[in-house]
Amino acid sequence: GAKEKVWHMMNILIWPTQGDSTNDPITFNTNLKGYPDRPGWLRYIQRTPHSDGVLYGSPASEHVGKPTIIEITAYNKRTFETARHNLVINIMSTEEFPLPYQAEFFIKNMNVEEMLASEVLGDFLGAVKNVWQPERLNAINITSALDRGGRVPLPINDLKEGVYVMVGADVQFSSCLREVETPQNQLRCSQEMEPVISCDKKFRAQFHIDWCKISLVDITKVVPVHSNRPDPGTGVLPDIGEYNPPSESLKNRDYFADFLITLAVPSAVAMVLFIILAYSMCCRREGVQKRNMQTPDIQLVHHSSIQKSTKELRNMSKNREISWPLSTLPVFHPVSGEVVPPIHPDNYETTSMPLMQTQTNLQNQIQIPQQQSSGK
């Protein structure tokens, strides 16, 4: 916020020296000279091996006056050629900074490399200048939405990641930019609705701005917070001599106690529980003999006499002659209407006799047997 910032945009293109290789897939690797990675303020992006690589970032005031050497290594994936180039970045202070009034916009329909193009950024600054009307207007910082915790969009409908663009000016915020702070627009933003901004039409033709995410900061009113940070040091470990590995004469470790705790004790507990369960299931059953011994004799005799009487009655019912049941009396033929008697065997020995006869048997039966008297 209150620090002096210098904004840089760089497009890095490296081509092989031989042959027509405009369509060759080329990837770039960038790092600070003598270090494995880039400085913390410098970012790099390349979408595909056929697209340009872009270095961008915003150095802070502590980087002013310190030349930054970036090593750029290009790899041609078709010819396996490599090329290396050193890019020297001189960071200088300027009197235009710091600009006291800073506004950060979130543009939904742009990726960071698209916004870094000079013509696109110029169109955006022109639209902001038309709305803000400042004397000095500069782009301070450009950040991809993915670096702010955004999610990668789905590859449908040409969705973009989104980009945050911070601009600074020397005059107060315009009334159009202040409209997002009204209670009505704040309520619409809380309900995930688009706020009503009068100057949105000046951006809508090319830039879709999420007005609910706009940030307006007046750095003249920001109270600086001083924190006592520890000295980061040089980043080099102190020399503590050569590494001294442990000696080879190590004592053998006894794993018997670990074996007892891990396997023997759980196995013994499981065996005891199994024995208790087996005794309860198999050895504690009463059985028929033990049940009879605990039952009174008079109850056993009574039960035995009931079973014997029931069996005797069933045997007697099979041999006695009884009258035909009402369900076997003559019935009428369902088609002709004549009386048709059922067929009965001479000796009635079973009660499993059909109640209705088939049509073939009904036509041959014309006599009705007379019932026998129950006295004979």
Side-chain angles (χ1 to χ4, degrees):
K3 297 181 180 179
E4 294 182 0
K5 293 188 177 180
V6 183
W7 178 78
H8 291 274
M9 179 184 66
M10 292 161 287
N11 290 336
I12 308 302
L13 299 176
I14 302 178
W15 307 102
T17 57
Q18 297 179 355
D20 184 11
S21 57
T22 57
N23 294 325
D24 289 352
I26 300 177
T27 59
F28 302 98
N29 184 24
T30 60
N31 62 280
L32 184 64
K33 187 175 181 179
Y35 294 87
D37 203 355
R38 298 176 300 276
W41 58 269
L42 189 61
R43 298 183 181 276
Y44 169 75
I45 186 172
Q46 184 184 18
R47 295 290 177 180
T48 63
H50 295 278
S51 61
D52 299 341
V54 181
L55 280 170
Y56 66 99
S58 298
S61 58
E62 58 264 23
H63 302 108
V64 174
K66 299 178 182 178
T68 303
I69 303 176
I70 304 297
E71 290 183 344
I72 303 173
T73 306
Y75 303 92
N76 191 320
K77 291 190 174 182
R78 186 183 67 86
T79 62
F80 301 102
E81 292 182 82
T82 60
R84 178 169 292 176
H85 176 71
N86 290 338
L87 176 66
V88 181
I89 303 175
N90 294 315
I91 304 174
M92 298 176 295
S93 179
T94 176
E95 296 179 356
E96 297 181 358
F97 294 92
L99 296 173
Y101 304 100
Q102 299 176 0
E104 187 177 55
F105 300 86
F106 177 63
I107 305 174
K108 297 184 290 185
N109 65 327
M110 287 284 177
N111 288 334
V112 62
E113 70 275 11
E114 299 173 348
M115 197 65 199
L116 287 170
S118 58
E119 60 275 7
V120 178
L121 183 60
D123 294 341
F124 178 75
L125 292 179
V128 175
K129 191 172 184 179
N130 189 17
V131 173
W132 202 339
Q133 298 296 331
E135 295 181 3
R136 290 183 301 166
L137 181 70
N138 294 94
I140 299 177
N141 190 18
I142 296 180
T143 308
S144 173
L146 300 184
D147 298 331
R148 297 284 189 89
R151 301 181 63 180
V152 178
L154 296 175
I156 56 176
N157 299 331
D158 196 22
L159 295 177
K160 304 293 184 178
E161 296 173 356
V163 58
Y164 289 89
V165 180
M166 178 179 288
V167 297
D170 56 350
V171 297
Q172 287 279 353
F173 302 110
S174 64
S175 58
C176 174
L177 298 179
R178 290 288 188 183
E179 290 179 2
V180 72
E181 298 178 350
T182 61
Q184 294 81 3
N185 285 330
Q186 290 295 320
L187 178 60
R188 294 177 66 89
C189 288
S190 63
Q191 297 175 353
E192 298 184 357
M193 299 173 62
E194 283 286 340
V196 179
I197 307 296
S198 60
C199 57
D200 180 59
K201 58 184 179 181
K202 297 182 180 180
F203 297 91
R204 183 65 63 176
Q206 188 176 359
F207 307 99
H208 295 172
I209 298 178
D210 189 348
W211 292 99
C212 292
K213 293 184 179 180
I214 189 173
S215 175
L216 304 177
V217 179
D218 183 359
I219 63 175
T220 60
K221 298 180 180 179
V222 175
V223 178
V225 178
H226 301 281
S227 60
N228 297 325
R229 297 182 180 179
D231 185 11
T234 61
V236 180
L237 295 177
D239 186 11
I240 58 176
E242 297 182 356
Y243 173 68
N244 186 17
S247 62
E248 297 181 356
S249 59
L250 297 178
K251 296 182 180 180
N252 294 329
R253 182 178 177 182
D254 187 9
Y255 291 95
F256 182 74
D258 297 338
F259 169 76
L260 292 179
I261 297 175
T262 306
L263 296 178
V265 174
S267 300
V269 173
M271 182 60 67
V272 171
L273 295 177
F274 177 77
I275 293 174
I276 295 174
L277 179 63
Y279 175 77
S280 301
M281 297 293 295
C282 301
C283 302
R284 298 289 297 176
R285 298 183 63 181
E286 294 182 353
V288 178
Q289 183 178 3
K290 186 175 182 180
R291 184 198 62 187
N292 293 340
M293 293 176 60
Q294 296 180 355
T295 305
D297 294 340
I298 186 64
Q299 186 176 354
L300 291 177
V301 172
H302 183 259
H303 179 71
S304 178
S305 62
I306 292 176
Q307 286 187 335
K308 184 176 180 182
S309 301
T310 302
K311 185 176 180 180
E312 183 178 358
L313 289 174
R314 289 178 178 176
N315 293 333
M316 293 175 60
S317 63
K318 294 181 180 180
N319 299 326
R320 66 179 180 177
E321 296 180 354
I322 59 176
S323 59
W324 301 108
L326 297 177
S327 59
T328 58
L329 292 179
V331 296
F332 290 93
H333 194 275
V335 179
S336 61
E338 59 184 1
V339 177
V340 179
I343 296 179
H344 299 285
D346 295 338
N347 296 327
Y348 182 77
E349 297 180 356
T350 179
T351 59
S352 61
M353 184 173 292
L355 301 181
M356 301 295 295
Q357 305 297 327
T358 60
Q359 294 184 1
T360 56
N361 294 332
L362 292 175
Q363 295 178 358
N364 300 327
Q365 299 173 4
I366 56 175
Q367 295 182 358
I368 303 176
Q370 296 182 358
Q371 297 181 2
Q372 299 178 2
S373 60
S374 58
K376 295 182 181 182

